[in-house]
Amino acid sequence: MVTAVRTLDEGAWVNVNNTRIVGVSDIWRLADHEVCDCDVALFLVEVFTDIGVDGEWVEARAAGQCIGCGERDTTGWLRIGRPDRTGTGEFRAVDPEGVHRPSKTRGHD
Ligand SMILES: [Zn+2]
């Protein structure tokens, strides 16, 4: 169960159940996005601006810059991670270097 989700240090960290899950300075590979014109943006996260929970997924929006073209913007909702399905309750963050598809609204189809 995800019981508590918040950002820390003015958006520098996403904190889930009192554990820092993801931080800024990672480069997220974004597809089907509206950040810039790159097919796959290499998005350097500078701050997490919004955070929420959709079902088992923790989602967040991030502001930053595509290092491919220099465009600055805020992403749609990105899946950050979810609890392990094996029943341990451990939270598993996604791999930023995988390809992510931001959603305009919370809750992916
Ligand atoms: Zn770009």
Side-chain angles (χ1 to χ4, degrees), residues 33 35-42 65-71:
H33 62 88
V35 170
C36 61
D37 292 332
C38 299
D39 282 344
V40 176
L42 301 176
Q65 183 172 29
C66 174
I67 62 171
C69 68
E71 193 74 40

Side-chain angles (χ1 to χ4, degrees), residues 3 9 13-14 18 20 30 33 42 58 67 79 88 92 96 101 103:
T3 56
D9 298 340
W13 293 92
V14 174
N18 295 320
R20 292 179 180 199
L30 306 180
H33 62 88
L42 301 176
V58 173
I67 62 171
R79 285 177 162 177
T88 62
R92 299 246 183 251
R101 289 178 168 75
S103 176

